[in-house]
Amino acid sequence: MKELFQNKVFRIIMTTDAIQQLCIWIRNMAVLFFIIEKTNADPIAISLITIFEYLPIFVFSYLGGTLADKWNPKRTMIAGDFLSSISVVVILLLINQGLWQTVFAATLVSAMVSQFSAPSSVIMFKRNIDEQLITPAISLSQGLQSLYLIIGPIIGTLLYNGLGISFSLTVIAMLFLCSALIQFLLPASPRQTDYIKPNLLAQMKEGLVYIRNDKGLTVLCSVLGLFGFAQGLIQPLTIFILTDRLRIETESLQWFYSLSGVGLLIGAIISMSIVSKHKTRTILFLGMIAFAAVTIAEALSTVVILTAILYFLSGLIIAFVQVAISVPLIQNVQEDYIGRINGMITPLLIAGILIGTALSGVLIEQLTLIPVFMLSAFILIICGVISLGYQSAPVHVEFDRAP
């Protein structure tokens, strides 16, 4: 662990990740409360926030990953945060001119830019961190995100309630600028231009061929898509666990989410010393089976304390699954394909969540609450069985390159 924190690249990326996570949560809460205030809590306007957050992932994730494989990762990361800072300043000026609707663009632009800069940070991990340190590096990165899942909404809410939208956006712009300046300290990361094929569409096709030829990646893609679908089925129904099964007020939901966040944080820390000692397929299989059991227990429980413990355990298990998936993506994928692989996997997970969410309302009317949770658990068991087919051996694919 000491060796990891002595790594300059790791320290810089963790610092900028912390700043970016703070920006995201200040943005999320400021935009949410501002839209609620301006539209009198119009549900359509509020739902647009989610659309503007997820739409860029589908449209730009694979393209951004492909370009990340082609561009200089250091410059891409710096440019991404600079563009985010400038865009927030422009949006702030427009809001001050009375065009408050442009606040939606704060979410849209931030989500879009991250599709180009996030894969570049993964490439920097691949280049500059020893393979034996990848697992603790990923665990600490996941732990940081989990920490902000707990404290981020609190910070964002306090900032908006105390100082308003203009100050919140100003803070975001300054933080993005600080992140960009810190990234200048990263080592040079030139691309081998003679290895990069100039045809963008050809590069995108190569990424798909790479996934098809790697059985391990094919398994991970299948598992992530189904895992997202299983999660999407029950995410909108969580409120009914409180009202129908536990008979408590809906306001208590925040505390259950906080317990899940604590579980994510602790799970990420524990996974540092466990994931690297066991095979990925073993971690995924046991994780999926355990998560299926927790899902069934959540649906059946009528005891508040038991349900609270189950929420904590669900966060703990998800942390192990996330680390078990993220580590081989860095260790086994060729550097020149990391951006494209990440750009393909993220939309699969989110697509599964959105499809499951869209079907959950229909299914609960036809099957009621407990059967829908049972269906989600059954899909998780299928994920566990599929994960047994994962092979950890890295695949190296060579394509003909244009001179």
Side-chain angles (χ1 to χ4, degrees):
M1 187 62 65
K2 180 181 178 181
E3 185 180 355
L4 180 61
F5 281 99
Q6 289 175 342
N7 186 295
K8 179 181 177 181
V9 171
F10 175 76
R11 294 199 308 270
I12 292 173
I13 290 181
M14 286 294 286
T15 300
T16 56
D17 279 354
I19 295 173
Q20 291 162 4
Q21 284 291 316
L22 184 57
C23 288
I24 289 171
W25 280 107
I26 294 174
R27 179 206 71 193
N28 287 349
M29 305 314 296
V31 171
L32 174 62
F33 290 130
F34 185 68
I35 293 301
I36 289 175
E37 179 183 325
K38 287 293 184 179
T39 66
N40 195 26
D42 180 20
I44 295 177
I46 294 173
S47 65
L48 283 175
I49 300 173
T50 302
I51 293 174
F52 282 127
E53 182 176 0
Y54 285 111
L55 183 62
I57 297 176
F58 290 105
V59 177
F60 296 106
S61 182
Y62 192 60
L63 173 62
T66 303
L67 291 174
D69 286 334
K70 186 171 185 174
W71 291 344
N72 182 304
K74 176 181 177 180
R75 293 177 182 174
T76 303
M77 294 166 67
I78 293 171
D81 283 347
F82 266 126
L83 288 174
S84 294
S85 180
I86 293 171
S87 66
V88 171
V89 171
V90 172
I91 292 165
L92 177 59
L93 293 174
L94 292 173
I95 290 176
N96 289 335
Q97 294 297 317
L99 299 173
W100 65 266
Q101 294 87 349
T102 56
V103 74
F104 285 110
T107 299
L108 179 65
V109 173
S110 177
M112 182 175 65
V113 171
S114 68
Q115 303 314 306
F116 295 86
S117 59
S120 297
S121 66
V122 178
I123 293 171
M124 294 297 288
F125 262 38
K126 173 79 172 180
R127 284 189 177 186
N128 298 281
I129 297 178
D130 293 339
E131 185 171 325
Q132 65 268 24
L133 297 176
I134 289 295
T135 299
I138 293 297
S139 298
L140 289 173
S141 179
Q142 296 285 356
L144 179 66
Q145 295 181 32
S146 303
L147 177 63
Y148 273 98
L149 185 64
I150 302 169
I151 67 174
I154 299 173
I155 296 173
T157 300
L158 290 175
L159 196 61
Y160 179 83
N161 288 339
L163 299 168
I165 187 67
S166 295
F167 188 85
S168 296
L169 292 178
T170 301
V171 170
I172 293 172
M174 293 175 63
L175 288 173
F176 271 126
L177 180 60
C178 288
S179 178
L181 293 175
I182 292 172
Q183 287 166 352
F184 275 103
L185 299 174
L186 289 168
S189 54
R191 282 293 189 184
Q192 298 178 7
T193 55
D194 59 332
Y195 182 72
I196 300 301
K197 181 174 286 188
N199 189 320
L200 182 62
L201 289 177
Q203 281 191 280
M204 297 177 76
K205 290 179 182 178
E206 286 182 3
L208 296 175
V209 173
Y210 188 92
I211 293 175
R212 186 184 64 192
N213 291 340
D214 189 323
K215 184 178 179 180
L217 287 176
T218 304
V219 169
L220 288 182
C221 288
S222 302
V223 169
L224 275 173
L226 286 173
F227 180 72
F229 180 64
Q231 284 293 93
L233 284 176
I234 61 176
Q235 273 187 0
L237 308 181
T238 303
I239 194 69
F240 296 111
I241 292 292
L242 272 63
T243 57
D244 295 356
R245 302 295 297 173
L246 302 181
R247 306 294 181 182
I248 60 177
E249 298 295 326
T250 57
E251 287 77 9
S252 302
L253 184 62
Q254 59 180 318
W255 303 113
F256 286 88
Y257 280 149
S258 295
L259 283 170
S260 180
V262 173
L264 280 167
L265 177 59
I266 296 176
I269 296 172
I270 297 175
S271 65
M272 286 189 293
S273 59
I274 295 180
V275 170
S276 60
K277 297 178 182 178
H278 298 84
K279 293 181 178 180
T280 297
R281 61 183 180 183
T282 302
I283 297 292
L284 289 178
F285 174 75
L286 294 177
M288 293 297 175
I289 298 302
F291 198 59
V294 168
T295 299
I296 294 172
E298 283 180 9
L300 298 178
S301 173
T302 57
V303 180
V304 174
I305 294 178
L306 175 59
T307 303
I309 294 173
L310 291 170
Y311 266 78
F312 170 80
L313 290 176
S314 68
L316 194 75
I317 296 167
I318 289 176
F320 275 86
V321 171
Q322 288 175 337
V323 174
I325 290 174
S326 299
V327 169
L329 289 180
I330 296 180
Q331 289 181 332
N332 298 333
V333 176
Q334 289 177 241
E335 181 186 318
D336 296 281
Y337 295 92
I338 286 181
R340 279 166 282 185
I341 302 308
N342 278 272
M344 175 60 68
I345 283 179
T346 302
L348 282 174
L349 176 64
I350 294 176
I353 291 174
L354 294 181
I355 293 172
T357 300
L359 291 176
S360 64
V362 177
L363 289 175
I364 194 173
E365 290 184 355
Q366 300 295 324
L367 302 175
T368 69
L369 185 66
I370 293 179
V372 174
F373 271 74
M374 296 294 181
L375 176 60
S376 176
F378 178 70
I379 295 172
L380 289 170
I381 294 173
I382 294 176
C383 287
V385 174
I386 294 175
S387 66
L388 291 175
Y390 176 81
Q391 294 179 353
S392 60
V395 173
H396 293 275
V397 181
E398 297 293 340
F399 295 93
D400 294 332
R401 299 289 173 176

